[in-house]
Amino acid sequence: MTGRFDGLDRVRAGAMLLGVVYHATYAFIPDVGPWFPVQARATSTVFVAVAGVIHAVRMPVFFALSGFFAALVLDKRGAGFLGDRFRRLMVPFFVATPLSVMADTAIRRLALREGVMDARYDVQGDWVLRPLHLWFLEYLFLFCLAAWLLSKTRLTARLDGLFARAPEVLVAGGLLTFGAQHFVGEPQPAFSFAPQVASLLAFGPFFALGWALHRARTSTDALTRRAWPMVLAALVTCLVVFTRPLQWQPPGQALAAVAAWLMTLGVMGLALRPGSRSPGLLVQSAYWVYLVHHPLVQLGQVLVARREWPVWLSYGAVVLGTFAVSFGSYALVVRHTPLAGWLGSAPGHQRASKVSERT
């Protein structure tokens, strides 16, 4: 039987594209000025909940998917694993970071001139060297390096039995996530190139979960059967937490951590169900869209921040404008050029990444 992972590929693309939706919320959150360079006139507390729910589950799901595909690439590439991961992750990181830093500085200075930056925002228009939205590339490579080193030892930890019979037990990982956050602190990887213990502890276990799921990919019937209840439980939990002050309290933070594990397991279970189709434009373009979206989002926020528009119109203009420019640039600059192969977004590369396996 041929095993393909089109569903997982689509979910990974969705997690990247959801980054646009998430980052666009911040300018429209009431009194966000001390923590974000753009404060729009039109705001809504709804965006507090929207940002909270997306933030709680998006990156855990993404890192778990990345762990799954990293294990797949190791099986396929063998000795070429680290070279493949370096080209896929670190080369874009080194190329895009200087451009992102320059764009970030220019847009913050524009926000200052337009009067849409709060005086309490700490860096104002200064040059600041930080990874911004590209931080995940550095951490993914570190996790790949750690997994490759462990693969050279005799240390193994297989979860086939749990995935086959009781995947819900793995939700207990949420307590570990909460414990790490409570004792080590909130991960803030976008502000420093130095790997942070809090960020490693926050996202490393999800990468390991995805890696273990690939090793147990022939034993996921129970996971796929229970996927929808897990997803629904995660959504309900997130809504309870992020529509109340509970999100700022330890019980709420613990519930959010559990929801992240529920959502990750549920989404991956759904994506592993039978059925596949060739990757479409959204899947092919997702990596590029994520690489270029951040300055586009912030520029859009600056342009609408002083408008007397309804908040949802302003927010929608930022999101739709960002997608239009990023998708357009993908079609014109990437899709039919060597960049597509370099970013792993060419249709041929997408098909090749889904190797045939016995199940």
mmCIF file with all atom_site columns, all heavy atoms in Angstrom, residues 274-300:
data_model
loop_
_atom_site.group_PDB
_atom_site.id
_atom_site.type_symbol
_atom_site.label_atom_id
_atom_site.label_alt_id
_atom_site.label_comp_id
_atom_site.label_asym_id
_atom_site.label_entity_id
_atom_site.label_seq_id
_atom_site.pdbx_PDB_ins_code
_atom_site.Cartn_x
_atom_site.Cartn_y
_atom_site.Cartn_z
_atom_site.occupancy
_atom_site.B_iso_or_equiv
_atom_site.pdbx_formal_charge
_atom_site.auth_seq_id
_atom_site.auth_comp_id
_atom_site.auth_asym_id
_atom_site.auth_atom_id
_atom_site.pdbx_PDB_model_num
ATOM 1   N N   . PRO A 1 274 ? -6.946 8.392  5.341  1.00 0.00 ? 274 PRO A N   1
ATOM 2   C CA  . PRO A 1 274 ? -6.706 8.083  3.922  1.00 0.00 ? 274 PRO A CA  1
ATOM 3   C C   . PRO A 1 274 ? -7.275 9.153  3.003  1.00 0.00 ? 274 PRO A C   1
ATOM 4   O O   . PRO A 1 274 ? -8.248 9.835  3.326  1.00 0.00 ? 274 PRO A O   1
ATOM 5   C CB  . PRO A 1 274 ? -7.448 6.753  3.723  1.00 0.00 ? 274 PRO A CB  1
ATOM 6   C CG  . PRO A 1 274 ? -7.545 6.165  5.085  1.00 0.00 ? 274 PRO A CG  1
ATOM 7   C CD  . PRO A 1 274 ? -7.678 7.324  6.025  1.00 0.00 ? 274 PRO A CD  1
ATOM 8   N N   . GLY A 1 275 ? -6.631 9.244  1.840  1.00 0.00 ? 275 GLY A N   1
ATOM 9   C CA  . GLY A 1 275 ? -7.066 10.221 0.847  1.00 0.00 ? 275 GLY A CA  1
ATOM 10  C C   . GLY A 1 275 ? -5.961 11.199 0.558  1.00 0.00 ? 275 GLY A C   1
ATOM 11  O O   . GLY A 1 275 ? -5.283 11.671 1.475  1.00 0.00 ? 275 GLY A O   1
ATOM 12  N N   . SER A 1 276 ? -5.738 11.484 -0.699 1.00 0.00 ? 276 SER A N   1
ATOM 13  C CA  . SER A 1 276 ? -4.687 12.412 -1.071 1.00 0.00 ? 276 SER A CA  1
ATOM 14  C C   . SER A 1 276 ? -5.027 13.053 -2.396 1.00 0.00 ? 276 SER A C   1
ATOM 15  O O   . SER A 1 276 ? -5.787 12.525 -3.192 1.00 0.00 ? 276 SER A O   1
ATOM 16  C CB  . SER A 1 276 ? -3.341 11.695 -1.158 1.00 0.00 ? 276 SER A CB  1
ATOM 17  O OG  . SER A 1 276 ? -3.348 10.763 -2.226 1.00 0.00 ? 276 SER A OG  1
ATOM 18  N N   . ARG A 1 277 ? -4.464 14.220 -2.589 1.00 0.00 ? 277 ARG A N   1
ATOM 19  C CA  . ARG A 1 277 ? -4.546 14.869 -3.887 1.00 0.00 ? 277 ARG A CA  1
ATOM 20  C C   . ARG A 1 277 ? -3.305 15.738 -4.048 1.00 0.00 ? 277 ARG A C   1
ATOM 21  O O   . ARG A 1 277 ? -2.652 16.092 -3.065 1.00 0.00 ? 277 ARG A O   1
ATOM 22  C CB  . ARG A 1 277 ? -5.811 15.695 -4.008 1.00 0.00 ? 277 ARG A CB  1
ATOM 23  C CG  . ARG A 1 277 ? -5.982 16.799 -2.985 1.00 0.00 ? 277 ARG A CG  1
ATOM 24  C CD  . ARG A 1 277 ? -7.272 17.567 -3.248 1.00 0.00 ? 277 ARG A CD  1
ATOM 25  N NE  . ARG A 1 277 ? -7.452 18.677 -2.335 1.00 0.00 ? 277 ARG A NE  1
ATOM 26  C CZ  . ARG A 1 277 ? -8.092 18.596 -1.185 1.00 0.00 ? 277 ARG A CZ  1
ATOM 27  N NH1 . ARG A 1 277 ? -8.585 17.429 -0.806 1.00 0.00 ? 277 ARG A NH1 1
ATOM 28  N NH2 . ARG A 1 277 ? -8.229 19.653 -0.405 1.00 0.00 ? 277 ARG A NH2 1
ATOM 29  N N   . SER A 1 278 ? -2.999 16.080 -5.282 1.00 0.00 ? 278 SER A N   1
ATOM 30  C CA  . SER A 1 278 ? -1.782 16.837 -5.545 1.00 0.00 ? 278 SER A CA  1
ATOM 31  C C   . SER A 1 278 ? -1.825 18.182 -4.830 1.00 0.00 ? 278 SER A C   1
ATOM 32  O O   . SER A 1 278 ? -2.888 18.802 -4.711 1.00 0.00 ? 278 SER A O   1
ATOM 33  C CB  . SER A 1 278 ? -1.622 17.057 -7.048 1.00 0.00 ? 278 SER A CB  1
ATOM 34  O OG  . SER A 1 278 ? -1.488 15.823 -7.709 1.00 0.00 ? 278 SER A OG  1
ATOM 35  N N   . PRO A 1 279 ? -0.692 18.655 -4.341 1.00 0.00 ? 279 PRO A N   1
ATOM 36  C CA  . PRO A 1 279 ? -0.666 19.931 -3.626 1.00 0.00 ? 279 PRO A CA  1
ATOM 37  C C   . PRO A 1 279 ? -1.040 21.090 -4.537 1.00 0.00 ? 279 PRO A C   1
ATOM 38  O O   . PRO A 1 279 ? -0.577 21.181 -5.672 1.00 0.00 ? 279 PRO A O   1
ATOM 39  C CB  . PRO A 1 279 ? 0.791  20.041 -3.157 1.00 0.00 ? 279 PRO A CB  1
ATOM 40  C CG  . PRO A 1 279 ? 1.564  19.168 -4.089 1.00 0.00 ? 279 PRO A CG  1
ATOM 41  C CD  . PRO A 1 279 ? 0.637  18.045 -4.434 1.00 0.00 ? 279 PRO A CD  1
ATOM 42  N N   . GLY A 1 280 ? -1.893 21.961 -4.062 1.00 0.00 ? 280 GLY A N   1
ATOM 43  C CA  . GLY A 1 280 ? -2.306 23.116 -4.838 1.00 0.00 ? 280 GLY A CA  1
ATOM 44  C C   . GLY A 1 280 ? -1.411 24.308 -4.589 1.00 0.00 ? 280 GLY A C   1
ATOM 45  O O   . GLY A 1 280 ? -0.385 24.231 -3.897 1.00 0.00 ? 280 GLY A O   1
ATOM 46  N N   . LEU A 1 281 ? -1.820 25.450 -5.128 1.00 0.00 ? 281 LEU A N   1
ATOM 47  C CA  . LEU A 1 281 ? -1.014 26.653 -5.036 1.00 0.00 ? 281 LEU A CA  1
ATOM 48  C C   . LEU A 1 281 ? -0.806 27.095 -3.596 1.00 0.00 ? 281 LEU A C   1
ATOM 49  O O   . LEU A 1 281 ? 0.278  27.568 -3.238 1.00 0.00 ? 281 LEU A O   1
ATOM 50  C CB  . LEU A 1 281 ? -1.692 27.778 -5.830 1.00 0.00 ? 281 LEU A CB  1
ATOM 51  C CG  . LEU A 1 281 ? -0.976 29.130 -5.831 1.00 0.00 ? 281 LEU A CG  1
ATOM 52  C CD1 . LEU A 1 281 ? 0.400  29.011 -6.465 1.00 0.00 ? 281 LEU A CD1 1
ATOM 53  C CD2 . LEU A 1 281 ? -1.821 30.178 -6.558 1.00 0.00 ? 281 LEU A CD2 1
ATOM 54  N N   . LEU A 1 282 ? -1.822 26.931 -2.740 1.00 0.00 ? 282 LEU A N   1
ATOM 55  C CA  . LEU A 1 282 ? -1.677 27.360 -1.352 1.00 0.00 ? 282 LEU A CA  1
ATOM 56  C C   . LEU A 1 282 ? -0.572 26.580 -0.649 1.00 0.00 ? 282 LEU A C   1
ATOM 57  O O   . LEU A 1 282 ? 0.234  27.147 0.095  1.00 0.00 ? 282 LEU A O   1
ATOM 58  C CB  . LEU A 1 282 ? -2.997 27.185 -0.602 1.00 0.00 ? 282 LEU A CB  1
ATOM 59  C CG  . LEU A 1 282 ? -4.126 28.142 -0.970 1.00 0.00 ? 282 LEU A CG  1
ATOM 60  C CD1 . LEU A 1 282 ? -5.372 27.817 -0.162 1.00 0.00 ? 282 LEU A CD1 1
ATOM 61  C CD2 . LEU A 1 282 ? -3.717 29.589 -0.742 1.00 0.00 ? 282 LEU A CD2 1
ATOM 62  N N   . VAL A 1 283 ? -0.525 25.275 -0.874 1.00 0.00 ? 283 VAL A N   1
ATOM 63  C CA  . VAL A 1 283 ? 0.507  24.454 -0.247 1.00 0.00 ? 283 VAL A CA  1
ATOM 64  C C   . VAL A 1 283 ? 1.880  24.811 -0.806 1.00 0.00 ? 283 VAL A C   1
ATOM 65  O O   . VAL A 1 283 ? 2.856  24.941 -0.065 1.00 0.00 ? 283 VAL A O   1
ATOM 66  C CB  . VAL A 1 283 ? 0.203  22.953 -0.456 1.00 0.00 ? 283 VAL A CB  1
ATOM 67  C CG1 . VAL A 1 283 ? 1.342  22.085 0.074  1.00 0.00 ? 283 VAL A CG1 1
ATOM 68  C CG2 . VAL A 1 283 ? -1.099 22.581 0.237  1.00 0.00 ? 283 VAL A CG2 1
ATOM 69  N N   . GLN A 1 284 ? 1.963  24.964 -2.111 1.00 0.00 ? 284 GLN A N   1
ATOM 70  C CA  . GLN A 1 284 ? 3.245  25.256 -2.738 1.00 0.00 ? 284 GLN A CA  1
ATOM 71  C C   . GLN A 1 284 ? 3.814  26.602 -2.298 1.00 0.00 ? 284 GLN A C   1
ATOM 72  O O   . GLN A 1 284 ? 5.029  26.760 -2.159 1.00 0.00 ? 284 GLN A O   1
ATOM 73  C CB  . GLN A 1 284 ? 3.088  25.241 -4.262 1.00 0.00 ? 284 GLN A CB  1
ATOM 74  C CG  . GLN A 1 284 ? 2.705  23.885 -4.843 1.00 0.00 ? 284 GLN A CG  1
ATOM 75  C CD  . GLN A 1 284 ? 2.255  24.008 -6.288 1.00 0.00 ? 284 GLN A CD  1
ATOM 76  O OE1 . GLN A 1 284 ? 2.553  24.986 -6.965 1.00 0.00 ? 284 GLN A OE1 1
ATOM 77  N NE2 . GLN A 1 284 ? 1.522  23.010 -6.759 1.00 0.00 ? 284 GLN A NE2 1
ATOM 78  N N   . SER A 1 285 ? 2.932  27.563 -2.069 1.00 0.00 ? 285 SER A N   1
ATOM 79  C CA  . SER A 1 285 ? 3.389  28.930 -1.798 1.00 0.00 ? 285 SER A CA  1
ATOM 80  C C   . SER A 1 285 ? 3.542  29.244 -0.320 1.00 0.00 ? 285 SER A C   1
ATOM 81  O O   . SER A 1 285 ? 4.059  30.311 0.036  1.00 0.00 ? 285 SER A O   1
ATOM 82  C CB  . SER A 1 285 ? 2.396  29.931 -2.399 1.00 0.00 ? 285 SER A CB  1
ATOM 83  O OG  . SER A 1 285 ? 1.122  29.811 -1.780 1.00 0.00 ? 285 SER A OG  1
ATOM 84  N N   . ALA A 1 286 ? 3.115  28.358 0.577  1.00 0.00 ? 286 ALA A N   1
ATOM 85  C CA  . ALA A 1 286 ? 3.015  28.697 2.001  1.00 0.00 ? 286 ALA A CA  1
ATOM 86  C C   . ALA A 1 286 ? 4.346  29.116 2.607  1.00 0.00 ? 286 ALA A C   1
ATOM 87  O O   . ALA A 1 286 ? 4.411  30.083 3.391  1.00 0.00 ? 286 ALA A O   1
ATOM 88  C CB  . ALA A 1 286 ? 2.436  27.515 2.772  1.00 0.00 ? 286 ALA A CB  1
ATOM 89  N N   . TYR A 1 287 ? 5.424  28.423 2.274  1.00 0.00 ? 287 TYR A N   1
ATOM 90  C CA  . TYR A 1 287 ? 6.732  28.758 2.854  1.00 0.00 ? 287 TYR A CA  1
ATOM 91  C C   . TYR A 1 287 ? 7.138  30.160 2.429  1.00 0.00 ? 287 TYR A C   1
ATOM 92  O O   . TYR A 1 287 ? 7.562  30.988 3.244  1.00 0.00 ? 287 TYR A O   1
ATOM 93  C CB  . TYR A 1 287 ? 7.761  27.720 2.408  1.00 0.00 ? 287 TYR A CB  1
ATOM 94  C CG  . TYR A 1 287 ? 9.081  27.739 3.147  1.00 0.00 ? 287 TYR A CG  1
ATOM 95  C CD1 . TYR A 1 287 ? 9.257  28.459 4.313  1.00 0.00 ? 287 TYR A CD1 1
ATOM 96  C CD2 . TYR A 1 287 ? 10.165 27.003 2.658  1.00 0.00 ? 287 TYR A CD2 1
ATOM 97  C CE1 . TYR A 1 287 ? 10.471 28.453 4.980  1.00 0.00 ? 287 TYR A CE1 1
ATOM 98  C CE2 . TYR A 1 287 ? 11.385 26.988 3.317  1.00 0.00 ? 287 TYR A CE2 1
ATOM 99  C CZ  . TYR A 1 287 ? 11.532 27.723 4.473  1.00 0.00 ? 287 TYR A CZ  1
ATOM 100 O OH  . TYR A 1 287 ? 12.737 27.714 5.132  1.00 0.00 ? 287 TYR A OH  1
ATOM 101 N N   . TRP A 1 288 ? 7.014  30.477 1.159  1.00 0.00 ? 288 TRP A N   1
ATOM 102 C CA  . TRP A 1 288 ? 7.354  31.804 0.659  1.00 0.00 ? 288 TRP A CA  1
ATOM 103 C C   . TRP A 1 288 ? 6.482  32.872 1.316  1.00 0.00 ? 288 TRP A C   1
ATOM 104 O O   . TRP A 1 288 ? 6.982  33.916 1.747  1.00 0.00 ? 288 TRP A O   1
ATOM 105 C CB  . TRP A 1 288 ? 7.190  31.854 -0.857 1.00 0.00 ? 288 TRP A CB  1
ATOM 106 C CG  . TRP A 1 288 ? 7.293  33.232 -1.433 1.00 0.00 ? 288 TRP A CG  1
ATOM 107 C CD1 . TRP A 1 288 ? 6.260  34.052 -1.783 1.00 0.00 ? 288 TRP A CD1 1
ATOM 108 C CD2 . TRP A 1 288 ? 8.498  33.964 -1.704 1.00 0.00 ? 288 TRP A CD2 1
ATOM 109 N NE1 . TRP A 1 288 ? 6.733  35.250 -2.264 1.00 0.00 ? 288 TRP A NE1 1
ATOM 110 C CE2 . TRP A 1 288 ? 8.108  35.222 -2.224 1.00 0.00 ? 288 TRP A CE2 1
ATOM 111 C CE3 . TRP A 1 288 ? 9.848  33.682 -1.567 1.00 0.00 ? 288 TRP A CE3 1
ATOM 112 C CZ2 . TRP A 1 288 ? 9.032  36.189 -2.612 1.00 0.00 ? 288 TRP A CZ2 1
ATOM 113 C CZ3 . TRP A 1 288 ? 10.772 34.644 -1.947 1.00 0.00 ? 288 TRP A CZ3 1
ATOM 114 C CH2 . TRP A 1 288 ? 10.374 35.873 -2.461 1.00 0.00 ? 288 TRP A CH2 1
ATOM 115 N N   . VAL A 1 289 ? 5.186  32.607 1.392  1.00 0.00 ? 289 VAL A N   1
ATOM 116 C CA  . VAL A 1 289 ? 4.269  33.576 1.997  1.00 0.00 ? 289 VAL A CA  1
ATOM 117 C C   . VAL A 1 289 ? 4.697  33.883 3.429  1.00 0.00 ? 289 VAL A C   1
ATOM 118 O O   . VAL A 1 289 ? 4.722  35.048 3.848  1.00 0.00 ? 289 VAL A O   1
ATOM 119 C CB  . VAL A 1 289 ? 2.816  33.057 1.961  1.00 0.00 ? 289 VAL A CB  1
ATOM 120 C CG1 . VAL A 1 289 ? 1.895  33.945 2.799  1.00 0.00 ? 289 VAL A CG1 1
ATOM 121 C CG2 . VAL A 1 289 ? 2.317  32.987 0.527  1.00 0.00 ? 289 VAL A CG2 1
ATOM 122 N N   . TYR A 1 290 ? 5.062  32.848 4.179  1.00 0.00 ? 290 TYR A N   1
ATOM 123 C CA  . TYR A 1 290 ? 5.465  33.098 5.559  1.00 0.00 ? 290 TYR A CA  1
ATOM 124 C C   . TYR A 1 290 ? 6.771  33.897 5.619  1.00 0.00 ? 290 TYR A C   1
ATOM 125 O O   . TYR A 1 290 ? 6.916  34.791 6.461  1.00 0.00 ? 290 TYR A O   1
ATOM 126 C CB  . TYR A 1 290 ? 5.625  31.798 6.347  1.00 0.00 ? 290 TYR A CB  1
ATOM 127 C CG  . TYR A 1 290 ? 5.753  32.084 7.821  1.00 0.00 ? 290 TYR A CG  1
ATOM 128 C CD1 . TYR A 1 290 ? 4.619  32.258 8.601  1.00 0.00 ? 290 TYR A CD1 1
ATOM 129 C CD2 . TYR A 1 290 ? 6.992  32.245 8.413  1.00 0.00 ? 290 TYR A CD2 1
ATOM 130 C CE1 . TYR A 1 290 ? 4.721  32.585 9.946  1.00 0.00 ? 290 TYR A CE1 1
ATOM 131 C CE2 . TYR A 1 290 ? 7.113  32.566 9.756  1.00 0.00 ? 290 TYR A CE2 1
ATOM 132 C CZ  . TYR A 1 290 ? 5.981  32.732 10.528 1.00 0.00 ? 290 TYR A CZ  1
ATOM 133 O OH  . TYR A 1 290 ? 6.089  33.070 11.848 1.00 0.00 ? 290 TYR A OH  1
ATOM 134 N N   . LEU A 1 291 ? 7.715  33.599 4.738  1.00 0.00 ? 291 LEU A N   1
ATOM 135 C CA  . LEU A 1 291 ? 8.987  34.317 4.759  1.00 0.00 ? 291 LEU A CA  1
ATOM 136 C C   . LEU A 1 291 ? 8.802  35.817 4.524  1.00 0.00 ? 291 LEU A C   1
ATOM 137 O O   . LEU A 1 291 ? 9.491  36.634 5.127  1.00 0.00 ? 291 LEU A O   1
ATOM 138 C CB  . LEU A 1 291 ? 9.938  33.741 3.706  1.00 0.00 ? 291 LEU A CB  1
ATOM 139 C CG  . LEU A 1 291 ? 10.500 32.337 3.959  1.00 0.00 ? 291 LEU A CG  1
ATOM 140 C CD1 . LEU A 1 291 ? 11.368 31.904 2.786  1.00 0.00 ? 291 LEU A CD1 1
ATOM 141 C CD2 . LEU A 1 291 ? 11.300 32.277 5.257  1.00 0.00 ? 291 LEU A CD2 1
ATOM 142 N N   . VAL A 1 292 ? 7.866  36.194 3.641  1.00 0.00 ? 292 VAL A N   1
ATOM 143 C CA  . VAL A 1 292 ? 7.760  37.599 3.237  1.00 0.00 ? 292 VAL A CA  1
ATOM 144 C C   . VAL A 1 292 ? 6.620  38.350 3.915  1.00 0.00 ? 292 VAL A C   1
ATOM 145 O O   . VAL A 1 292 ? 6.528  39.576 3.780  1.00 0.00 ? 292 VAL A O   1
ATOM 146 C CB  . VAL A 1 292 ? 7.590  37.717 1.702  1.00 0.00 ? 292 VAL A CB  1
ATOM 147 C CG1 . VAL A 1 292 ? 8.746  37.032 0.985  1.00 0.00 ? 292 VAL A CG1 1
ATOM 148 C CG2 . VAL A 1 292 ? 6.257  37.150 1.227  1.00 0.00 ? 292 VAL A CG2 1
ATOM 149 N N   . HIS A 1 293 ? 5.756  37.663 4.679  1.00 0.00 ? 293 HIS A N   1
ATOM 150 C CA  . HIS A 1 293 ? 4.521  38.310 5.098  1.00 0.00 ? 293 HIS A CA  1
ATOM 151 C C   . HIS A 1 293 ? 4.684  39.367 6.179  1.00 0.00 ? 293 HIS A C   1
ATOM 152 O O   . HIS A 1 293 ? 3.901  40.326 6.237  1.00 0.00 ? 293 HIS A O   1
ATOM 153 C CB  . HIS A 1 293 ? 3.517  37.257 5.605  1.00 0.00 ? 293 HIS A CB  1
ATOM 154 C CG  . HIS A 1 293 ? 3.708  36.891 7.044  1.00 0.00 ? 293 HIS A CG  1
ATOM 155 N ND1 . HIS A 1 293 ? 4.694  36.025 7.490  1.00 0.00 ? 293 HIS A ND1 1
ATOM 156 C CD2 . HIS A 1 293 ? 3.035  37.293 8.168  1.00 0.00 ? 293 HIS A CD2 1
ATOM 157 C CE1 . HIS A 1 293 ? 4.610  35.897 8.793  1.00 0.00 ? 293 HIS A CE1 1
ATOM 158 N NE2 . HIS A 1 293 ? 3.629  36.650 9.248  1.00 0.00 ? 293 HIS A NE2 1
ATOM 159 N N   . HIS A 1 294 ? 5.679  39.224 7.051  1.00 0.00 ? 294 HIS A N   1
ATOM 160 C CA  . HIS A 1 294 ? 5.721  40.053 8.261  1.00 0.00 ? 294 HIS A CA  1
ATOM 161 C C   . HIS A 1 294 ? 5.828  41.552 7.956  1.00 0.00 ? 294 HIS A C   1
ATOM 162 O O   . HIS A 1 294 ? 5.024  42.350 8.482  1.00 0.00 ? 294 HIS A O   1
ATOM 163 C CB  . HIS A 1 294 ? 6.862  39.593 9.171  1.00 0.00 ? 294 HIS A CB  1
ATOM 164 C CG  . HIS A 1 294 ? 6.736  40.092 10.572 1.00 0.00 ? 294 HIS A CG  1
ATOM 165 N ND1 . HIS A 1 294 ? 7.398  41.206 11.028 1.00 0.00 ? 294 HIS A ND1 1
ATOM 166 C CD2 . HIS A 1 294 ? 6.009  39.647 11.630 1.00 0.00 ? 294 HIS A CD2 1
ATOM 167 C CE1 . HIS A 1 294 ? 7.108  41.421 12.292 1.00 0.00 ? 294 HIS A CE1 1
ATOM 168 N NE2 . HIS A 1 294 ? 6.258  40.495 12.682 1.00 0.00 ? 294 HIS A NE2 1
ATOM 169 N N   . PRO A 1 295 ? 6.782  41.981 7.131  1.00 0.00 ? 295 PRO A N   1
ATOM 170 C CA  . PRO A 1 295 ? 6.807  43.419 6.825  1.00 0.00 ? 295 PRO A CA  1
ATOM 171 C C   . PRO A 1 295 ? 5.568  43.880 6.063  1.00 0.00 ? 295 PRO A C   1
ATOM 172 O O   . PRO A 1 295 ? 5.139  45.032 6.223  1.00 0.00 ? 295 PRO A O   1
ATOM 173 C CB  . PRO A 1 295 ? 8.087  43.574 5.973  1.00 0.00 ? 295 PRO A CB  1
ATOM 174 C CG  . PRO A 1 295 ? 8.408  42.211 5.486  1.00 0.00 ? 295 PRO A CG  1
ATOM 175 C CD  . PRO A 1 295 ? 7.911  41.264 6.522  1.00 0.00 ? 295 PRO A CD  1
ATOM 176 N N   . LEU A 1 296 ? 4.987  43.013 5.248  1.00 0.00 ? 296 LEU A N   1
ATOM 177 C CA  . LEU A 1 296 ? 3.766  43.386 4.536  1.00 0.00 ? 296 LEU A CA  1
ATOM 178 C C   . LEU A 1 296 ? 2.622  43.628 5.512  1.00 0.00 ? 296 LEU A C   1
ATOM 179 O O   . LEU A 1 296 ? 1.841  44.579 5.365  1.00 0.00 ? 296 LEU A O   1
ATOM 180 C CB  . LEU A 1 296 ? 3.386  42.295 3.538  1.00 0.00 ? 296 LEU A CB  1
ATOM 181 C CG  . LEU A 1 296 ? 4.375  42.031 2.398  1.00 0.00 ? 296 LEU A CG  1
ATOM 182 C CD1 . LEU A 1 296 ? 3.932  40.831 1.571  1.00 0.00 ? 296 LEU A CD1 1
ATOM 183 C CD2 . LEU A 1 296 ? 4.507  43.264 1.509  1.00 0.00 ? 296 LEU A CD2 1
ATOM 184 N N   . VAL A 1 297 ? 2.508  42.760 6.519  1.00 0.00 ? 297 VAL A N   1
ATOM 185 C CA  . VAL A 1 297 ? 1.472  42.933 7.541  1.00 0.00 ? 297 VAL A CA  1
ATOM 186 C C   . VAL A 1 297 ? 1.660  44.251 8.274  1.00 0.00 ? 297 VAL A C   1
ATOM 187 O O   . VAL A 1 297 ? 0.707  45.043 8.436  1.00 0.00 ? 297 VAL A O   1
ATOM 188 C CB  . VAL A 1 297 ? 1.488  41.753 8.538  1.00 0.00 ? 297 VAL A CB  1
ATOM 189 C CG1 . VAL A 1 297 ? 0.686  42.095 9.791  1.00 0.00 ? 297 VAL A CG1 1
ATOM 190 C CG2 . VAL A 1 297 ? 0.919  40.497 7.895  1.00 0.00 ? 297 VAL A CG2 1
ATOM 191 N N   . GLN A 1 298 ? 2.888  44.529 8.722  1.00 0.00 ? 298 GLN A N   1
ATOM 192 C CA  . GLN A 1 298 ? 3.114  45.743 9.495  1.00 0.00 ? 298 GLN A CA  1
ATOM 193 C C   . GLN A 1 298 ? 2.934  46.993 8.650  1.00 0.00 ? 298 GLN A C   1
ATOM 194 O O   . GLN A 1 298 ? 2.424  48.009 9.137  1.00 0.00 ? 298 GLN A O   1
ATOM 195 C CB  . GLN A 1 298 ? 4.497  45.708 10.127 1.00 0.00 ? 298 GLN A CB  1
ATOM 196 C CG  . GLN A 1 298 ? 4.589  44.712 11.288 1.00 0.00 ? 298 GLN A CG  1
ATOM 197 C CD  . GLN A 1 298 ? 5.833  44.906 12.118 1.00 0.00 ? 298 GLN A CD  1
ATOM 198 O OE1 . GLN A 1 298 ? 6.941  44.927 11.578 1.00 0.00 ? 298 GLN A OE1 1
ATOM 199 N NE2 . GLN A 1 298 ? 5.674  45.020 13.415 1.00 0.00 ? 298 GLN A NE2 1
ATOM 200 N N   . LEU A 1 299 ? 3.348  46.939 7.384  1.00 0.00 ? 299 LEU A N   1
ATOM 201 C CA  . LEU A 1 299 ? 3.121  48.082 6.504  1.00 0.00 ? 299 LEU A CA  1
ATOM 202 C C   . LEU A 1 299 ? 1.620  48.324 6.334  1.00 0.00 ? 299 LEU A C   1
ATOM 203 O O   . LEU A 1 299 ? 1.146  49.473 6.398  1.00 0.00 ? 299 LEU A O   1
ATOM 204 C CB  . LEU A 1 299 ? 3.772  47.834 5.147  1.00 0.00 ? 299 LEU A CB  1
ATOM 205 C CG  . LEU A 1 299 ? 3.563  48.933 4.094  1.00 0.00 ? 299 LEU A CG  1
ATOM 206 C CD1 . LEU A 1 299 ? 4.128  50.265 4.581  1.00 0.00 ? 299 LEU A CD1 1
ATOM 207 C CD2 . LEU A 1 299 ? 4.204  48.530 2.762  1.00 0.00 ? 299 LEU A CD2 1
ATOM 208 N N   . GLY A 1 300 ? 0.865  47.257 6.123  1.00 0.00 ? 300 GLY A N   1
ATOM 209 C CA  . GLY A 1 300 ? -0.583 47.398 6.010  1.00 0.00 ? 300 GLY A CA  1
ATOM 210 C C   . GLY A 1 300 ? -1.191 47.980 7.269  1.00 0.00 ? 300 GLY A C   1
ATOM 211 O O   . GLY A 1 300 ? -2.104 48.827 7.206  1.00 0.00 ? 300 GLY A O   1
#
